[in-house]
């Protein structure tokens, strides 16, 4: 019954570590991006609404994002734990998630924050962009995304730090090293992957 949230700047290896965590703990990786895409693909009523908003180049409002996440957390595979990625993104969403989980007698166990030096992440993403032939992914564009992330998430990180939920992990270095740091940070909070979790994963 492990309920986690992972946050980190673009290029900090969040996707890789999320995949490892879900396998280790035998819990689903719940990404708002994936939820949006699945609902759009399946043409659910919420998906139709999201598609119209995204096609117009607008942000999906909190109320709609909350409804999609709530629906996903009600699914069978999320009943015994989950890893949230990309949600919550606003203080309103933080409050909604807290109320939603409290209504089920649940709460987040930890918030994993991958911390990475911005210059190193920018260099890593720029190298990847060049290798993949994405000329439009300029250093300026990459730095802008980093700044947007920092601006949007700093209030959320402050809230979770105040609540004693934050596990700060250096996100740079070898993938296995970062995974070990996350495991150590969670263990310090009394969160371990049991044999049952590993078998389920």
């Amino acid at each position: 019954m492990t309920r986690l949230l992972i946050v980190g700047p673009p290029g900090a290896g969040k996707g890789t570590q999320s995949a490892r965590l879900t396998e280790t703990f035998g819990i689903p990786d719940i990404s708002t991006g994936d939820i949006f895409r699945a609902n759009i693909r399946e043409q659910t009523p919420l998906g139709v609404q999201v598609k119209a908003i995204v096609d117009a180049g607008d942000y999906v409002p909190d109320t709609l994002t909350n409804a999609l996440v709530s629906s996903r957390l009600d699914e069978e595979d999320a009943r015994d734990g989950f890893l949230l990625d990309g949600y919550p993104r606003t203080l309103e969403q933080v409050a909604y998630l807290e109320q939603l989980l409290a209504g089920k007698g649940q709460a987040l166990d930890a918030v994993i924050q991958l911390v990475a030096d911005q210059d190193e992440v920018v260099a890593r993403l720029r190298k990847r962009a060049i290798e993949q032939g994405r000329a439009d992914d300029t250093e300026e564009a990459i730095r802008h995304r980093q700044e947007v992330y920092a601006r949007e998430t700093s209030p959320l990180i402050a809230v979770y730090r105040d609540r004693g939920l934050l596990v700060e992990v250096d996100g740079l270095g070898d993938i296995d090293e970062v995974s070990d740091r996350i495991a150590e940070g969670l263990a310090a909070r009394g969160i371990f992957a049991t044999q049952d979790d590993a078998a389920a994963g």
Side-chain angles (χ1 to χ4, degrees), residues 104-120:
K104 302 169 186 275
Q106 301 171 356
L108 283 176
D109 295 305
V111 176
I112 301 158
Q113 181 192 10
L114 293 181
V115 182
D117 177 76
Q118 190 179 95
D119 289 337
E120 286 206 42

Side-chain angles (χ1 to χ4, degrees), residues 13 16 45 66 74 78 96 108 131 140 156-157 160 170 181 183 199:
T16 303
N66 289 341
D74 277 340
Y96 178 86
L108 283 176
E131 287 170 354
E140 186 181 19
L156 279 61
I157 288 164
Y160 288 125
D170 179 0
R181 286 177 208 143

Side-chain angles (χ1 to χ4, degrees), residues 18-56:
S18 293
R20 290 193 167 202
L21 282 162
T22 56
E23 189 175 340
T24 299
F25 285 96
I27 52 178
D29 179 1
I30 298 180
S31 152
T32 43
D34 290 346
I35 294 173
F36 289 164
R37 284 186 287 275
N39 277 271
I40 290 169
R41 189 172 58 248
E42 292 161 20
Q43 298 184 335
T44 67
L46 287 172
V48 171
Q49 278 183 268
V50 170
K51 186 174 188 305
I53 292 164
V54 172
D55 286 350

Side-chain angles (χ1 to χ4, degrees), residues 30-148:
I30 298 180
S31 152
T32 43
D34 290 346
I35 294 173
F36 289 164
R37 284 186 287 275
N39 277 271
I40 290 169
R41 189 172 58 248
E42 292 161 20
Q43 298 184 335
T44 67
L46 287 172
V48 171
Q49 278 183 268
V50 170
K51 186 174 188 305
I53 292 164
V54 172
D55 286 350
D58 294 325
Y59 282 112
V60 179
D62 284 350
T63 50
L64 196 48
T65 305
N66 289 341
L68 285 164
V69 171
S70 175
S71 170
R72 179 66 184 86
L73 290 179
D74 277 340
E75 290 181 29
E76 192 65 38
D77 67 338
R79 301 243 167 112
D80 292 335
F82 52 77
L83 174 71
L84 282 171
D85 174 5
Y87 178 94
R89 279 201 169 157
T90 66
L91 291 174
E92 289 78 10
Q93 290 176 5
V94 169
Y96 178 86
L97 177 65
E98 190 173 30
Q99 287 181 328
L100 178 68
L101 293 177
K104 302 169 186 275
Q106 301 171 356
L108 283 176
D109 295 305
V111 176
I112 301 158
Q113 181 192 10
L114 293 181
V115 182
D117 177 76
Q118 190 179 95
D119 289 337
E120 286 206 42
V121 172
V122 169
R124 179 193 286 187
L125 290 176
R126 188 72 191 112
K127 181 170 177 278
R128 187 191 301 173
I130 292 166
E131 287 170 354
Q132 295 177 356
R134 298 204 311 267
D136 58 333
D137 221 357
T138 62
E139 181 171 334
E140 186 181 19
I142 292 167
R143 283 194 183 278
H144 176 69
R145 287 201 297 274
Q146 297 287 323
E147 284 155 13
V148 168

Side-chain angles (χ1 to χ4, degrees), residues 89-91 94 149-162:
R89 279 201 169 157
T90 66
L91 291 174
V94 169
Y149 162 81
R151 188 170 63 244
E152 285 184 351
T153 56
S154 55
L156 279 61
I157 288 164
V159 166
Y160 288 125
R161 182 180 285 114
D162 288 347

